[in-house]
Amino acid sequence: MRTWIRSLRPFDVLPVPALIERTTDFREAERFLRLFHAEHPTAGGLPARLRDVARDIARHGTYVHTFEELQFGARVAWRNSNRCIGRLYWKSLRVRDRREVTSAEGVALECVAHLREAAGEGKIRPVITVFPPDLPARRAPRVLNEQLIRYAGHRTRDGSVIGDPRQADLTALALRLGWRGGLGRFDVLPLLIDPGLGEPLLCNLPGDAVLEVPIVHPEFPWFADLGLRWHAVPAISNMCLEIGGVCYPCAPFNGWYMGAEIGARNLADADRYDQLPVVAERLGLDTSTERSLWRDHALVELNVAVLHSFEAAGVTMTDHHTESARFLTHLAREEKAGRTCPAEWSWIVPPISGGVTPVFHRYYDNPALTPNFVPRH
Ligand code: ARG
């Protein structure tokens, strides 16, 4: 398999890059620097830093974060992510500062290195790699994939999709750019990198950078015949890391999986892998009436299988009961630190057995705070 595919047909498929005219807002920078110094009382030098930053913005339209500011900004962006139930460990985020990497090849190689570091032989570590920000005069590179590892969705003639239907558009784009995918249900997509200026680059991920877990069931040997699997590292790559008025459009980050993300969504949703009817049939359930609760039975067995498989493979994964309890610990800690913890109820409550987890039975504050991860435009 070729690693690099340089597309010869860039301009008809990628949007024409808009010139970035926006300069950094000093008030955003100041707000962030005050937060940084409030949480690092021994750092010192705030007045001088504010003066330098004001001067840099006036001269160059933007300013450059120190490593300490970047590391803090990335960790607080996680802390402020109102949809994430797993924020208890926000301080442990490893920050890979790769702001000097400007080529598409460099971005691809660092994404591969990120995946190897994050997967840690199964002991998953939360990691973020920060590539250069957009500058007033130069658009930075971006990864077009929504996550570094995703499975292709091949549209067939009859309109159905083999693989992950959510990736059908990206798969079509990769094929147009010269990727030769297989026709499997779990083909790992290549990285699609928009260099900011110039031709897009495709990069096939080396196999050893993609840790995967075959899904088996602790009691039903037939479960393995379903041929299901999932990747170990969820690494979101299409969000902008926003710190102090600076947007880092390429800053892939990962945590570890909660089983229900795979067992109750990716493999279960009717518009994803839609496995509940298949599992129900193999379980011999009565699917002629909703009142048999065949969907619910199948859903539980699928989730048992996912949790069991990751455990058996020695790959970090959490379950939604443990994670819900941890989230409440996180809320209590944040409150004790004198901070509001923004949370979006409909995302925090797990997609299975919501009401038997403690996060269901309360409401949350939900102000939009920065630093944060925001949708990239
Ligand atoms: N739900 C997404 C997925 O199934 C991943 C989102 C991030 N999840 C995480 N545990 N950090 O791929």
Side-chain angles (χ1 to χ4, degrees), residues 11-54:
F11 299 111
D12 54 341
V13 286
L14 282 185
V16 177
L19 273 184
I20 294 118
E21 282 155 23
R22 206 177 61 95
T23 58
T24 301
D25 183 344
F26 175 72
R27 287 164 306 180
E28 290 289 316
E30 178 175 9
R31 188 142 35 109
F32 168 68
L33 293 168
R34 289 192 184 283
L35 180 71
F36 175 80
H37 283 267
E39 297 193 29
H40 298 84
T42 56
L46 177 62
R49 181 69 178 131
L50 286 174
R51 198 179 348 96
D52 290 351
V53 166

Side-chain angles (χ1 to χ4, degrees), residues 78 84-85 146-147 149-150 230-231 233-236 253-258 260-262 265-266 272 318 347:
W78 183 9
C84 176
I85 193 175
E146 74 167 15
Q147 290 191 27
I149 305 174
R150 293 267 91 169
W230 206 257
H231 53 91
V233 177
I236 294 175
F253 60 91
N254 75 279
W256 51 76
Y257 264 118
M258 179 171 85
E261 298 182 81
I262 300 168
R265 301 299 311 277
N266 302 347
R272 300 290 299 285
T318 177
W347 278 69

Side-chain angles (χ1 to χ4, degrees), residues 155-191:
R155 278 201 191 92
T156 60
R157 261 168 234 278
D158 67 3
S160 63
V161 174
I162 302 171
D164 192 346
R166 189 179 164 97
Q167 302 305 321
D169 286 344
L170 192 81
T171 304
L173 177 59
L175 290 168
R176 263 183 289 159
L177 288 172
W179 183 56
R180 299 228 182 77
L183 258 189
R185 296 160 77 205
F186 295 97
D187 296 339
V188 175
L189 282 162
L191 289 177

